[in-house]
Amino acid sequence: MDNSRRKFLGTSLTGAAMAISLPEIVKAAIAPTAAAPKIRITDNDVILFQGDSITDAGRDKENTSPNNSRALGAGYAMLAAAKLLHTHGPKQLSIYNKGISGNKVHQLDARWDADCIAIKPDILSILIGVNDYWHTLSGNYDGTIQVYRDDYRKLLDRTIKALPNVKLIIGEPFAVNNVKAVTDAWFPAFDEYRAAAREIANEYGAAFIPYQRVFDEAAKKAPSSYWTGDGVHTTLAGAQLMAEAWLQTVR
Amino acid sequence: MDNSRRKFLGTSLTGAAMAISLPEIVKAAIAPTAAAPKIRITDNDVILFQGDSITDAGRDKENTSPNNSRALGAGYAMLAAAKLLHTHGPKQLSIYNKGISGNKVHQLDARWDADCIAIKPDILSILIGVNDYWHTLSGNYDGTIQVYRDDYRKLLDRTIKALPNVKLIIGEPFAVNNVKAVTDAWFPAFDEYRAAAREIANEYGAAFIPYQRVFDEAAKKAPSSYWTGDGVHTTLAGAQLMAEAWLQTVR
């Protein structure tokens, strides 16, 4: 992967722009990566959210309309979409969510032609990885961290081949320890998935959202269980937390 | 109604606070009423959204949990709740939506014991009135503007009697002309409902949200049909527009 993809990612974020309207929590979490350029939203952009249950958030899969609250689910993707549609009204964006509960990277790959390439996103946001690890704990999946890395790179390579101008946003898989499903048994193994996502984002010139840090910082304001019901899925407060972090990647 | 209720409504809004993070559209719409005091959100506040289909927004009526995205619907109430829960995390708010599609004021009254008084809201937000007019057009309802006023005052009187410390937020009923359901035939008759809501808000010391102006201003940024699908109900963009206006009434 050459570095030329970085050219797609717009101009640098200024300190002044960062200072405006950034809630404390998100600011604390995002600040260390604020040097990354923001993705500029332009007229008629198609924005696609992809991922697992965290992205899915109970969306109505029969509804294929863009910008529809039911089609966008009840999670961070819908909340981010609402704000984008409000702020960028004149740009006539088309926003889709095609997250599916339980998905791992190879399952995105299996449905990628219909659920990504055919949609021709200008901006593609992917959050995937927690199931690539979690499902190994129950013995239902034997993928390793190397499989995750290989699958993820393969997915992005085919994406870029089909959509050479797509702007990528990669979310860090996260797991909030000591909340129901997530225990010490997850660590340090799960941390490798987080590191892999960051590494791949960097490699492909993608904007990266450090969700783990976002949740870790939020835990200083209210208990972790306030932001995530089971350590993996968000409450409404946690969904807004993620949406605000997501929105920091664009302008 | 004496003016002492105004005491509940916290301190004045400063110009400096208004200037921060206020999207252009909402700013333009709200600015003329910015002298109104903001309602302060405090620890363990119970916040209740009440109204008709615009508030309902397809909420799951079987789900009685506070702060739940499905119980809060897919409209402005849920979007405002998400932001409140995020911003005021440490305060452990409990937010409910009990809007019901098709409701007029007298239908709120009929279910008020269970759907308002029993919930004991600290902050009560009401948006009601479009059906009080709209349903007269089809001949299915014969309430007049005076019935709307009388019903609304009766509802608020019993509310204050049961919940003397409740802080009130009253939303202006709105109708966006030349979008599907709303035509010239609505005016100027419908404007009286808007004026009545404003008058009553003033009379009861309630914060008032001038939604008509919010939508009128938004129409300068993107076509009205971008914000409302039929002139009455919001798109996701319109729901966010309303949520941002709503959030300007609290701090």
Side-chain angles (χ1 to χ4, degrees):
Chain A
M1 191 65 218
D2 68 39
N3 282 329
S4 65
R5 283 188 46 72
R6 290 190 173 279
K7 286 186 296 188
F8 298 126
L9 298 177
T11 63
S12 289
L13 172 67
T14 66
M18 267 309 271
I20 298 167
S21 84
L22 203 52
E24 289 295 311
I25 293 170
V26 176
K27 190 153 109 182
I30 303 291
T33 61
K38 285 201 177 195
I39 291 173
R40 183 173 185 162
I41 293 178
T42 57
D43 287 354
N44 305 305
D45 269 355
V46 174
I47 302 174
L48 171 62
F49 288 88
Q50 265 289 7
D52 52 35
S53 54
I54 302 162
T55 304
D56 182 335
R59 69 184 174 88
D60 174 1
K61 296 179 183 65
E62 304 301 309
N63 190 326
T64 59
S65 303
N67 308 342
N68 180 284
S69 61
R70 299 194 186 288
L72 287 163
Y76 78 92
M78 187 273 290
L79 294 170
K83 185 71 178 178
L84 288 170
L85 292 167
H86 173 260
T87 307
H88 300 277
K91 292 182 184 162
Q92 299 289 326
L93 307 178
S94 296
I95 310 181
Y96 298 89
N97 177 0
K98 296 289 179 186
I100 290 188
S101 190
N103 269 195
K104 295 176 275 288
V105 182
H106 75 84
Q107 289 156 321
L108 292 188
D109 190 66
R111 60 189 181 84
W112 210 237
D113 280 333
D115 283 359
C116 176
I117 308 299
I119 294 167
K120 298 185 173 61
D122 298 288
I123 298 171
L124 169 62
S125 170
I126 306 174
L127 171 59
I128 197 79
V130 71
N131 294 322
D132 295 74
Y133 175 72
W134 196 4
H135 293 186
T136 64
L137 294 180
S138 57
N140 292 326
Y141 180 62
D142 62 3
T144 62
I145 177 66
Q146 194 53 44
V147 169
Y148 175 68
R149 281 196 203 98
D150 293 346
D151 285 357
Y152 215 146
R153 288 191 176 109
K154 182 181 151 203
L155 185 78
L156 294 179
D157 285 342
R158 69 180 282 205
T159 304
I160 291 162
K161 191 174 175 187
L163 306 165
N165 294 321
V166 71
K167 296 161 195 163
L168 296 171
I169 298 172
I170 290 181
E172 179 182 34
F174 60 92
V176 183
N177 201 4
N178 299 316
V179 185
K180 286 194 183 171
V182 181
T183 63
D184 287 343
W186 284 53
F187 307 95
F190 178 71
D191 294 331
E192 294 190 76
Y193 290 76
R194 295 172 42 214
R198 183 186 287 267
E199 179 187 318
I200 288 168
N202 191 50
E203 196 176 312
Y204 285 78
F208 180 74
I209 309 174
Y211 285 126
Q212 187 68 54
R213 200 187 309 146
V214 168
F215 280 91
D216 291 348
E217 290 293 326
K220 297 175 186 170
K221 305 275 181 177
S224 289
S225 59
Y226 179 80
W227 308 103
T228 167
D230 61 1
V232 171
H233 300 94
T234 55
T235 59
L236 184 56
Q240 181 71 22
L241 184 72
M242 288 182 67
E244 304 224 1
W246 193 97
L247 289 162
Q248 291 306 315
T249 66
V250 300
R251 66 188 175 94
Chain B
M1 190 65 216
D2 67 39
N3 283 328
S4 65
R5 284 189 46 72
R6 290 190 173 280
K7 286 187 297 190
F8 298 128
L9 297 178
T11 63
S12 289
L13 173 67
T14 66
M18 268 306 273
I20 298 166
S21 83
L22 203 52
E24 289 295 313
I25 294 171
V26 176
K27 188 153 110 182
I30 303 290
T33 61
K38 286 201 177 194
I39 290 172
R40 183 173 185 162
I41 293 178
T42 57
D43 287 354
N44 305 305
D45 269 355
V46 174
I47 302 174
L48 172 61
F49 289 90
Q50 263 291 6
D52 53 35
S53 54
I54 303 162
T55 304
D56 182 334
R59 69 182 176 89
D60 175 2
K61 297 179 182 64
E62 304 302 308
N63 190 327
T64 59
S65 303
N67 309 342
N68 180 283
S69 60
R70 295 190 190 290
L72 287 163
Y76 78 92
M78 186 274 291
L79 293 170
K83 185 71 179 178
L84 288 170
L85 291 166
H86 172 260
T87 306
H88 300 276
K91 292 180 182 162
Q92 299 288 326
L93 308 178
S94 296
I95 309 181
Y96 297 88
N97 178 1
K98 296 290 178 185
I100 290 188
S101 190
N103 269 194
K104 295 176 275 290
V105 181
H106 75 83
Q107 290 155 320
L108 292 188
D109 191 65
R111 59 188 180 84
W112 210 238
D113 280 334
D115 283 358
C116 176
I117 309 300
I119 293 166
K120 297 185 174 62
D122 298 289
I123 298 172
L124 169 62
S125 169
I126 305 175
L127 171 59
I128 197 80
V130 72
N131 294 322
D132 295 74
Y133 175 71
W134 195 6
H135 292 186
T136 65
L137 294 179
S138 58
N140 292 325
Y141 180 63
D142 62 3
T144 62
I145 177 66
Q146 195 53 46
V147 169
Y148 176 68
R149 281 196 203 97
D150 293 346
D151 285 356
Y152 214 146
R153 288 190 176 108
K154 182 180 150 203
L155 185 79
L156 294 179
D157 285 342
R158 69 180 282 206
T159 304
I160 291 161
K161 191 174 176 189
L163 306 165
N165 294 321
V166 71
K167 296 162 196 162
L168 295 172
I169 298 173
I170 289 181
E172 179 182 33
F174 60 91
V176 183
N177 201 2
N178 299 316
V179 185
K180 286 194 182 170
V182 181
T183 65
D184 286 343
W186 284 52
F187 307 95
F190 178 71
D191 295 331
E192 294 190 75
Y193 290 76
R194 295 171 41 212
R198 182 186 288 266
E199 179 187 318
I200 289 167
N202 191 49
E203 197 176 314
Y204 285 79
F208 180 72
I209 309 174
Y211 285 128
Q212 187 69 52
R213 200 187 308 147
V214 169
F215 279 92
D216 291 348
E217 290 293 326
K220 298 176 186 170
K221 305 276 181 176
S224 289
S225 59
Y226 180 79
W227 308 103
T228 166
D230 61 2
V232 172
H233 300 94
T234 55
T235 58
L236 185 55
Q240 181 71 24
L241 184 72
M242 289 182 66
E244 304 224 1
W246 192 98
L247 290 163
Q248 291 307 315
T249 65
V250 301
R251 66 190 174 95

